[in-house]
Amino acid sequence: MVVLAASICTKGGKAVLSRQFHPMTRTRIESLLATFPKLIPTNSQHTSVETSEVRYVYQPLEDLYILLITNKASNILQDIDTLHLFARVVADMCKTPDEREIHRVAFELLSAFDEIVSLGYREQVSLTQVRSILEMESHEEKIQEIIARNKEAEAKEELKRRARQLEMQRREQQMRAAALGGMGIGSGIGIGSGISGYSPITRFEAASEASPIRTASPAPSASRQPAFKSGGMKLGSKKTRQAELLDALGGEVLSAEEISAPSTPGITEPHVPATASVIKSSLPTVVPESIHTSIKETVTVALLREGGVKSLKLVGEMSLLVSDPQFAHIRVALAPLAPGLGTDLQLKQHPNVAKFAPGTEKVIALKDPSKAFQVGQALGVLKWRYTGDDESYSTCWPSLSTTEGTCDVNIEYELENEHLTLYDVVISIPLSTGSYPTVSTHPPTSTWSFNPTNRTLEWNIPRISNGNDDDMESTRSGTLEFSVSGDDLGAFFPVQVNFVAQGSIAGVERSTRVEVGFSCERIVSTDSYQVV
């Protein structure tokens, strides 16, 4: 077989992409492609047409044609097999077979075409081999990267060891200075016995490398020897050696100031979890009023792929912040809790908060009415915990069908708890090695992407709600459909789901009474949400 060119053209004969394997001018290939649509007979089942010079072997590709231009002496059966491989490569590398997508990956397609046909003759390669060649994975390169990482790790360990050694030397010198401080330091600053009257205290200044440390003495004596040599207190020289070591290794572990700093306790800033900034940037901002309540819940869920709940744990906390002294004796009435949780929902108040009386309205108030809440300081007044099998929140159930080595996957979500509004929902579906998804259906408000690092298909939904809270369109349910090569249905599990929500699964909120200067922030986040 001799393949002259592999091309993709429109149904009108306009060239979209073409690769010539024999010397051929642009005018010649454009003339051949323009002639091709006129040769296709009407209502014909054949996939090849001939002229007096060449043969066209073609296959429809939605609104386009993919075709091979060969000589008339070529083996048509091999040509058809080669054409099928070209079509599979195009479908694998393009999300949608249209002109814009083909132009976007034109160079990758041309490289793949060159791997299939060389100098007009078919190479014995498969789709998997073409994909591996394009990825250009090298075993030797991976070995060199591992060696480089090991060297970097050894350098960091050596830096840590030297830093610990320098720290031990510094502490030993401090201990020697403390042991001799009663005599040497006393005479140095002029507080020793036998001195009458006022003696000014000199300021201590760290000495440089060029000059030794000098201390003021009220009664210097030429015959008296110092209690200890000043060489042990040369902090400048030690700092220079540490700086040289850190500069040689990039300074990634500790700085010289951190090693040389005295081990005195200091005030550290409170640690803010990384998720706090993410949650606050994702959800609508709540402006704190004079009385502000914050309700935060964390849910851990494991759903079964056949349906039902394997495990469910809900942990929540309510904090109260009073910023106006006139509301320091506030009593906050709570609305009835969400139905269905029953006695499995365990509530626990702060020791200074009054217990809830059975059969009466739940009210958050201090146990001693004469006391007041601290102004400007948030207090965790209530905590709750629930473990059960309640399913009144977002769930997703994958349904799979396998045909001829290809899995058709359908994932549908539905928000069953209408009191929640979900934001930044990410559904991650793992894929088998060497497979790439072809998404056919997804809601217009959502996007999808392929994560090559984790080999997962990530479905991103900005917002899920019932659409009754505002004028926005309802996104209560949605469906994602894609196909992928393979026949192992277990490779698509576990499905990971991450989101933040506005609301409360347990239904903890203040009553609907109108109160002046009252604001409430309710957040639900996921610790682990899986379909196993």
Side-chain angles (χ1 to χ4, degrees):
M1 74 178 273
V2 178
V3 179
L4 303 179
S7 306
I8 301 175
C9 68
T10 63
K11 291 187 176 181
K14 176 186 175 182
V16 179
L17 181 71
S18 181
R19 180 69 172 102
Q20 291 73 251
F21 303 105
H22 277 267
M24 188 179 300
T25 63
R26 176 174 179 176
T27 305
R28 174 62 174 164
I29 190 64
E30 289 180 347
S31 175
L32 290 174
L33 293 178
T35 307
F36 164 68
K38 303 175 184 177
L39 301 175
I40 301 177
T42 307
N43 299 327
S44 175
Q45 300 296 327
H46 298 284
T47 59
S48 64
V49 292
E50 295 183 1
T51 65
S52 59
E53 299 177 352
V54 296
R55 176 190 294 154
Y56 299 91
V57 183
Y58 64 92
Q59 176 180 330
L61 196 66
E62 292 192 3
D63 295 335
L64 306 173
Y65 280 114
I66 179 171
L67 67 151
L68 299 181
I69 303 176
T70 67
N71 57 11
K72 298 182 67 174
S74 178
N75 189 329
I76 190 171
L77 296 179
Q78 294 182 1
D79 293 342
I80 293 175
D81 183 64
T82 304
L83 178 65
H84 290 168
L85 181 57
F86 273 99
R88 291 171 60 192
V89 168
V90 173
D92 182 72
M93 301 182 67
C94 300
K95 296 181 180 179
T96 56
D98 53 20
E99 290 189 40
R100 178 178 296 180
E101 182 66 15
I102 290 174
H103 287 160
R104 188 181 67 83
V105 295
F107 290 103
E108 290 81 357
L109 287 174
L110 292 176
S111 299
F113 288 0
D114 288 340
E115 299 299 334
I116 299 174
V117 176
S118 176
L119 299 177
Y121 294 92
R122 162 75 183 274
E123 298 289 344
Q124 297 301 321
V125 293
S126 62
L127 176 61
T128 304
Q129 291 174 329
V130 172
R131 187 184 298 142
S132 300
I133 293 172
L134 294 180
E135 290 176 356
M136 300 181 65
E137 292 188 358
S138 173
H139 180 67
E140 290 76 9
E141 182 182 2
K142 291 182 179 179
I143 292 177
Q144 293 300 323
E145 290 178 353
I146 294 174
I147 294 175
R149 286 197 297 266
N150 291 339
K151 289 183 178 179
E152 183 179 355
E154 291 175 0
K156 290 182 179 181
E157 291 296 330
E158 177 65 17
L159 177 59
K160 292 180 181 179
R161 188 186 67 79
R162 293 293 300 274
R164 288 194 295 267
Q165 183 179 359
L166 294 173
E167 178 67 14
M168 292 178 62
Q169 293 178 1
R170 184 186 65 82
R171 291 182 179 179
E172 290 178 0
Q173 292 177 358
Q174 285 184 347
M175 292 175 63
R176 290 198 205 101
L180 300 175
M183 178 173 57
I185 300 298
S187 61
I189 61 176
I191 308 182
S193 59
I195 300 175
S196 61
Y198 172 78
S199 176
I201 300 176
T202 60
R203 184 180 64 182
F204 173 76
E205 296 181 356
S208 62
E209 291 184 357
S211 62
I213 296 177
R214 297 180 180 180
T215 56
S217 175
S221 175
S223 61
R224 183 178 178 180
Q225 297 294 330
F228 61 90
K229 295 182 179 181
S230 60
M233 296 292 289
K234 288 184 179 179
L235 302 180
S237 60
K238 184 189 296 184
K239 179 177 179 181
T240 303
R241 290 196 300 271
Q242 295 169 7
E244 292 174 353
L245 175 61
L246 290 166
D247 292 339
L249 296 178
E252 296 179 359
V253 182
L254 294 173
S255 64
E257 287 77 11
E258 291 175 342
I259 300 176
S260 302
S263 56
T264 55
I267 300 176
T268 59
E269 295 293 334
H271 174 67
V272 180
T275 56
S277 60
V278 176
I279 293 175
K280 289 187 178 298
S281 63
S282 304
L283 298 177
T285 304
V286 177
V287 179
E289 299 289 345
S290 301
I291 304 172
H292 180 72
T293 58
S294 177
I295 300 172
K296 297 182 179 180
E297 294 179 337
T298 303
V299 60
T300 304
V301 183
L303 305 176
L304 299 175
R305 66 183 74 174
E306 297 84 4
V309 177
K310 180 180 179 180
S311 62
L312 166 63
K313 184 175 72 172
L314 175 67
V315 178
E317 181 180 5
M318 175 181 178
S319 61
L320 177 63
L321 173 63
V322 179
S323 57
D324 193 341
Q326 64 176 337
F327 299 114
H329 293 82
I330 187 68
R331 294 169 57 89
V332 180
L334 300 181
L337 302 178
L341 302 183
T343 58
D344 294 334
L345 181 63
Q346 304 175 4
L347 301 177
K348 186 175 182 180
Q349 295 95 327
H350 188 277
N352 295 335
V353 175
K355 303 295 181 181
F356 297 148
T360 60
E361 184 181 28
K362 294 179 175 58
V363 177
I364 300 295
L366 291 177
K367 186 181 299 183
D368 187 355
S370 61
K371 296 183 178 180
F373 288 100
Q374 294 187 8
V375 178
Q377 181 175 352
L379 176 65
V381 294
L382 180 65
K383 292 184 178 181
W384 58 92
R385 179 186 180 90
Y386 173 77
T387 303
D389 55 358
D390 181 67
E391 300 183 12
S392 57
Y393 43 85
S394 176
T395 59
C396 61
W397 310 109
S399 60
L400 310 174
S401 61
T402 306
T403 56
E404 299 180 357
T406 302
C407 290
D408 298 325
V409 185
N410 178 286
I411 293 187
E412 179 180 5
Y413 73 82
E414 181 178 4
L415 182 65
E416 299 182 1
N417 191 332
E418 298 183 354
H419 300 288
L420 292 180
T421 300
L422 277 59
Y423 294 87
D424 298 341
V425 182
V426 179
I427 302 177
S428 302
I429 305 101
L431 304 177
S432 58
T433 304
S435 61
Y436 293 85
T438 302
V439 177
S440 57
T441 303
H442 69 90
T445 57
S446 65
T447 59
W448 68 273
S449 61
F450 176 73
N451 188 335
T453 303
N454 301 327
R455 296 210 59 82
T456 57
L457 173 63
E458 296 184 352
W459 185 15
N460 299 274
I461 310 161
R463 187 175 184 270
I464 297 178
S465 66
N466 56 10
N468 296 331
D469 297 338
D470 46 37
D471 296 335
M472 296 183 64
E473 182 181 357
S474 175
T475 56
R476 180 176 179 179
S477 60
T479 303
L480 173 71
E481 296 180 3
F482 67 93
S483 59
V484 66
S485 60
D487 54 4
D488 183 12
L489 303 185
F492 301 100
F493 296 95
V495 177
Q496 301 281 348
V497 183
N498 294 300
F499 62 86
V500 291
Q502 188 179 38
S504 172
I505 297 177
V508 177
E509 60 177 333
R510 68 182 182 90
S511 62
T512 56
R513 302 172 185 172
V514 178
E515 299 183 21
V516 178
F518 196 99
S519 60
C520 182
E521 180 182 34
R522 301 194 300 165
I523 300 175
V524 181
S525 60
T526 58
D527 181 36
S528 174
Y529 197 116
Q530 294 183 338
V531 181
V532 297

